[in-house]
Structures are given as structure tokens and as C-alpha cells.
Amino acid sequence: MSTHQGVAIITGASRGIGAATAVLAGNAGYSVVVNFSADADGAARVVEQIKNDGGTAVAVQGDVSDPNAVLSLFDAAQALGPVTAVVNNAGITGDIIGNLVDVSAETINRVLEVNVAGTMFMCQEAIRRMSILSGGKGGSIVNLSSTAVKAGSPGTWVHYAASKGAVDVLTVGLATEAAPHGIRVNAVSPGITNTGLHAAAGMPGRVEGVKHLIPLGRGGEPAEVAAAVLWLLGTEASYITGAILPVAGGR
């Protein structure tokens, strides 16, 4: 276990990349707030694993698209100590596959609420709480984007890719605004990764089906994406802000 690094909030941390990031953050010495929207059992398992590894963690329910829930999430985190790291991992596809013309207005609105507005709300509160100009410790924000932005995900998730394009722009702009506050803002952009996201959208074999398109010949693992997130959070990346780091096997 590393020395204490402060408190890290990981949104959408009950499974997949979020869960892997939370466990790695606990091992790196952060007290971890495992945020979840609905999967309380999954969040509890992540907390248990962090504690079994000798770390400190709590699970906190909250929908990041609700500004009041975001406030409550930060309040719960500050009970553990100063927040120094925020990972905006919570994101949804709307569990639909197809052309944009067939995506319902409700799905489009919900994806934008969670992926874009939710990330913005989290970033706003992170700066308020972490800013060295208002007594905070400074720190780092890492947003989760997607390499879907590069091609736009035609025929599958154009709406999702568009939301992640917004996350990229947010990351670049906010990095400049947050720098005087002692806060770095970066993003990790995963490619095809072995998570439950594909099965939830009705494509359980998607990773296997597209691996021939990936130069490294396979899908990524959540722990590999988490390692990039933790690197950007840490002091090794202390001169990096406004970066979007692809973790995509060369695709």
C-alpha cells in the first residue's frame, strides 16, 4: 500500500473500468469513494476488495446527472478527507444499437444528461472543493472519453460518440481554466474493451468480432485502462494537462 494520496471519487465504479480504477486507486493509497447509480451489490463488492487489500473505501449512491446528488457525493467524500482526485467514468450508451435516426429522443436526452451534463457537474464541484484558491489541496481530474469519437460509431452509437466528443472538448477547455486552481484535467480514451457495456447493448460478442481490426489483435482489459487513469492522476504526470490519452491497442 502506498502512502495516503487523499480522497479519490470514481463515478460509475460498480463494474468495468470504474471498478478496476477504484481498486487500483485504493492500492495506490487513495481513500476511495465508489460511486454507483443502481448496482449497490457491485459497488459493495468493489469496496470489499479495496478493504481486503488494506485500503479505505465507501460506496455512495448518486446519479451524476442530478446536481444535488453530485453535492451529496462530494460531501460524503470530504468526510474521509480532502478530495484530490476525481475520475468521471459514469457513462451510458442507452443500451441500443443502430442508426441515429432510430434512437429515441428519451435515449438521446438521457445519454447527454449522464455523459455530458453529469461530467460537467462533477467537474464544477471538483474545482470548487479542490481549488488551492479556496483552501483545497489541488489535484487531478480524469474524464473517460472513447475512441468512438474518431470514427463517430456509425450504425451503432453515433449519439454516444457525440457525447464523448463533448467530453474531449470539455477536457481541453477546462484544463486551461483549472490550471490556476492547482488542478490538472486530462482524459483517457479507451478503445474496444472487455466490459459489460457491449452485452448490455445486445452485442455480447462484439469484442471478439472486431479484434481483427485492432493492431494489437485483441480487446483491452479494464485494468489496462485503469492503469492509464492512475498514471494521469499521479505525480508522474504532473506536467500534463489537457491531454487525451488513447488506450486502444493502436486502433
Side-chain angles (χ1 to χ4, degrees):
M1 181 67 65
S2 302
T3 57
H4 191 256
Q5 303 291 327
V7 178
I9 301 174
I10 320 292
T11 67
S14 62
R15 61 183 181 178
I17 291 169
T21 302
V23 170
L24 201 58
N27 289 336
Y30 291 95
S31 295
V32 184
V33 176
V34 177
N35 163 254
F36 68 97
S37 178
D39 186 5
D41 290 341
R45 287 191 293 271
V46 174
V47 168
E48 182 179 15
Q49 183 173 349
I50 294 170
K51 289 182 175 179
N52 287 342
D53 290 341
T56 300
V58 295
V60 179
Q61 193 276 336
D63 180 344
V64 297
S65 70
D66 177 356
N68 290 323
V70 169
L71 290 175
S72 297
L73 177 58
F74 275 86
D75 286 344
Q78 290 206 278
L80 298 178
V83 176
T84 58
V86 172
V87 179
N88 290 311
N89 170 74
I92 61 172
T93 65
D95 294 347
I96 186 172
I97 306 162
N99 295 324
L100 179 64
V101 69
D102 297 319
V103 181
S104 70
E106 291 78 12
T107 294
I108 290 172
N109 284 333
R110 185 61 183 150
V111 167
L112 294 177
E113 285 171 357
V114 174
N115 298 4
V116 182
T119 300
M120 288 183 178
F121 296 150
M122 287 291 300
C123 286
Q124 286 181 315
E125 197 59 24
I127 292 172
R128 293 178 185 126
R129 305 282 182 126
M130 294 163 59
S131 174
I132 59 174
L133 302 181
S134 56
K137 300 290 186 181
S140 180
I141 298 169
V142 175
N143 299 321
L144 267 292
S145 181
S146 171
T147 55
V149 172
K150 294 171 65 176
S153 287
T156 51
W157 292 332
V158 167
H159 59 292
Y160 171 78
S163 75
K164 292 302 186 177
V167 169
D168 284 359
V169 174
L170 168 66
T171 299
V172 173
L174 189 61
T176 298
E177 290 188 357
H181 296 270
I183 301 168
R184 295 183 298 108
V185 184
N186 293 291
V188 167
S189 185
I192 299 292
T193 306
N194 286 300
T195 70
L197 186 74
H198 311 289
M203 297 185 292
R206 185 173 186 234
V207 176
E208 187 68 18
V210 301
K211 69 178 184 180
H212 64 285
L213 300 175
I214 302 169
L216 289 185
R218 63 175 178 85
E221 296 298 331
E224 293 176 305
V225 180
V229 173
L230 264 291
W231 181 73
L232 283 173
L233 289 178
T235 56
E236 297 89 347
S238 58
Y239 197 51
I240 299 175
T241 196
I244 301 169
L245 175 62
V247 183
R251 188 180 183 203

